[in-house]
Amino acid sequence: MESGMVSVDRWCAGSQVYFLTHLHADHIRGLTPKWTRGPLYCSRITAKLFPIKFPGFDLSLIRIVEIGHWHSVSLLSPSSVSSTILYFMAIDAHHCPGAVMYLFRGEFGCTLYTGDFRWESTSERAQTGRTMLLKAMQDVKLDMLYLDNTYCNPTYCFPSREVAARQVLSIITSHPNHDIVIAVDTLGKENLLLYISRVLKTKIWVWPERLQIMHLLGFHDIFTTKTSVTRIRAVPRYSFNIETLEGLNTMCPTIGIMPSGLPWAPKSFRGKEKLSSESPPLLLDNRWHTDIATSSTSSKPNGGSLSSGRYDHYIYTIPYSDHSCFSELQKFVEFLKPTNIKGIVSSSASNVDPLYHFGSLCRIQQASELLCQRLKSKRYEKVGVIGMKSPFGCTSTMQLGRKRRKRQNFSASIHVSRVRLLRRERQGVKIVDTDPD
DNA sequence: GCGATCAGAT
DNA sequence: CACATCTGATCGC
């Protein structure tokens, strides 16, 4: 079976069907309102939010995938007149509203594409997903796992969102006379805001576009665009910085809360330590490893010990993440026992390569060998990783395709500058039709 | 000149 | 390192 027939979060020409995991910007790059390339499968919530992101989009192209149910579509093999049936199921990814993983089954085998996801073992929703996956794969092995490797390194260690939400709440209640601004994106972290609103019995300010999204999600009477009715505001992350906070503090005492799985360290501290699984550096904010909710009074902006006053004197970084931390990824891989794994997030470093950390959990014998090959061709990795967003990659014909593609990439790279190469993959240029790694 | 797309910053 | 997003520059028609 040829690949290039199915794309996930990838919007180049050449596929017969396209799957969208969720509506964050880095997953819809290349998708436009003028889309005509084929049917677009997504979750019901994503479909509901779709017109906001893509006004004028031809909605007749959208196919809703109900969570937990098998769907199927007949695909035509490009090289012959034969057709084959692709079966697929969406599973809640617990990332942002509408985010799903896709499980694919067909004559090519069984593939799971997680998209961005969080796998909190304590969460009831994750248990539901676990049950769905178990049932859907009870009679087969998982040939290929495309994994959200954003935090696929042991240094990324943070608590559940429930615990992090309590930390946020604790910081807010310990500043009863401050205005609070919380950095959020256009989608995601709603549960944190709902929790704050519920416990403190207060509305939360959001910007107008965000209010529209909240209403579409069914949250009425909780959010407002009137600044006068609340001291808590959720603001776009891009407008959240030291200067903004300093400006706000000239008018009213204000603290900022940055919910993120990343250690937002001061610039002066950043870049000096390189992430490496051999000698993982301590996170600058070691409180992440414990529950600071019980000791919030000792929490100072940016971890307290970082007293280089210029940097975010007013900002608290809280490890509230919609991506899985390392230990969750590990549990996920152990649970699925895939034959092979590939990260969906490109990286020039090996620190988040799933095979590096989880190769031994895979069924493949040659995990280290595969990794070795990959490290050798590290310069070209970005192209390979980005290019591989087709769910197919588990049959022997796919492996042939992979080898061919590697050669093509290599020879191309010789003559094209790295900048140009990176640029090409960013544009989503279809590198080859065969399975990209 | 304009829309699409990119690198860079946050 | 880099979450997801914006801004401003540049590309290509």
Side-chain angles (χ1 to χ4, degrees), chain A residues 212-225:
Chain A
Q212 193 189 358
I213 290 172
M214 294 302 196
H215 286 166
L216 279 175
L217 292 172
F219 306 131
H220 302 280
D221 309 319
I222 297 168
F223 300 98
T224 177
T225 52

Side-chain angles (χ1 to χ4, degrees), chain A residues 122-190:
Chain A
T122 53
S123 133
E124 207 171 290
R125 286 172 70 193
Q127 287 305 319
T128 306
R130 187 189 173 89
T131 308
M132 278 180 196
L133 283 169
L134 271 176
K135 193 178 169 206
M137 295 192 299
Q138 56 187 340
D139 56 330
V140 289
K141 62 181 169 52
L142 184 63
D143 298 296
M144 175 57 89
L145 171 64
Y146 288 113
L147 183 72
D148 172 14
N149 56 319
T150 305
Y151 295 127
C152 189
N153 184 288
T155 51
Y156 292 126
C157 171
F158 42 76
S160 69
R161 283 172 289 196
E162 193 185 335
V163 168
R166 284 202 294 270
Q167 296 178 8
V168 172
L169 194 69
S170 169
I171 288 167
I172 295 174
T173 54
S174 63
H175 293 81
N177 299 313
H178 279 73
D179 275 10
I180 313 285
V181 294
I182 305 171
V184 296
D185 293 316
T186 54
L187 201 56
K189 308 205 162 89
E190 288 76 13

